[in-house]
Amino acid sequence: MAQSKKPRKGYKPKAIHLPMMAESRDRMAMKLHLNIETLITSPSSDAFNELCKKIASLTDALSHMRGRPIVDDRDAAANAIRTAVATLSQIQERSERTDTLAVTDLEALSLRNASGVLDVELARIPKNVMDASIIIVRHQLTEKLKQAA
């Protein structure tokens, strides 16, 4: 029997991506919008921290999907994440200066616009990647809290 000229390539298992179903995407999008509206209407440190965790999870998931940090990109999702992070850091800096957590009308508009773009991006992220990103962010936060203590 004649052998082929090229040797076969070895099998490389591919990562399994579970698609984001409409119900899961709607639930995650609703939580994102609710976190933003909670921060705007009744600002508290818990609402601020929850929104920061959501944005960090989305950033991690999108970076994983693209294979590079998303902050270097110039598309709508990257711009929305940069806008949300800049707005949240501005809120935090003012909160540290004045000892009051408050959201201005312009910051509220900025966060709402960013949430609209991120809402669309949720449908493109596989469910297992988003779940893993949430776990990674939660683990990183607990590690930072342990180091601070």
Side-chain angles (χ1 to χ4, degrees):
M1 213 183 221
Q3 291 183 343
S4 63
K5 294 180 182 179
K6 289 183 176 178
R8 289 185 175 201
K9 292 183 179 178
Y11 173 74
K12 293 182 184 177
K14 294 181 180 178
I16 297 173
H17 291 293
L18 303 174
M20 181 77 74
M21 303 307 266
E23 184 178 327
S24 299
R25 181 222 159 272
D26 291 344
R27 188 172 17 90
M28 287 185 179
M30 181 63 73
K31 285 181 183 178
L32 175 67
H33 288 286
L34 284 175
N35 285 340
I36 288 173
E37 290 304 319
T38 302
L39 180 64
I40 292 169
T41 57
S42 57
S44 67
S45 60
D46 290 336
F48 182 81
N49 291 336
E50 279 300 312
L51 184 57
C52 286
K53 283 192 264 186
K54 285 278 187 218
I55 299 294
S57 298
L58 278 167
T59 304
D60 187 59
L62 288 170
S63 296
H64 175 76
M65 289 300 299
R66 296 176 183 201
R68 62 187 183 279
I70 193 168
V71 294
D72 299 335
D73 292 347
R74 296 287 176 228
D75 61 338
N79 289 337
I81 287 177
R82 273 195 301 278
T83 301
V85 169
T87 304
L88 290 172
S89 65
Q90 184 178 8
I91 293 169
Q92 182 183 18
E93 287 171 5
R94 188 177 55 250
S95 171
E96 289 172 354
R97 273 185 289 133
T98 63
D99 291 331
T100 16
L101 187 65
V103 180
T104 64
D105 291 339
L106 187 60
E107 292 166 344
L109 182 65
S110 174
L111 288 173
R112 286 180 180 133
N113 286 340
S115 72
V117 175
L118 296 176
D119 188 347
V120 172
E121 286 298 314
L122 272 174
R124 297 185 181 129
I125 302 171
K127 175 85 168 95
N128 57 333
V129 172
M130 190 65 200
D131 291 342
S133 295
I134 292 169
I135 291 170
I136 288 169
V137 167
R138 189 180 304 145
H139 177 71
Q140 289 172 346
L141 183 63
T142 55
E143 288 298 316
K144 285 184 180 180
L145 290 174
K146 284 180 185 178
Q147 289 176 355

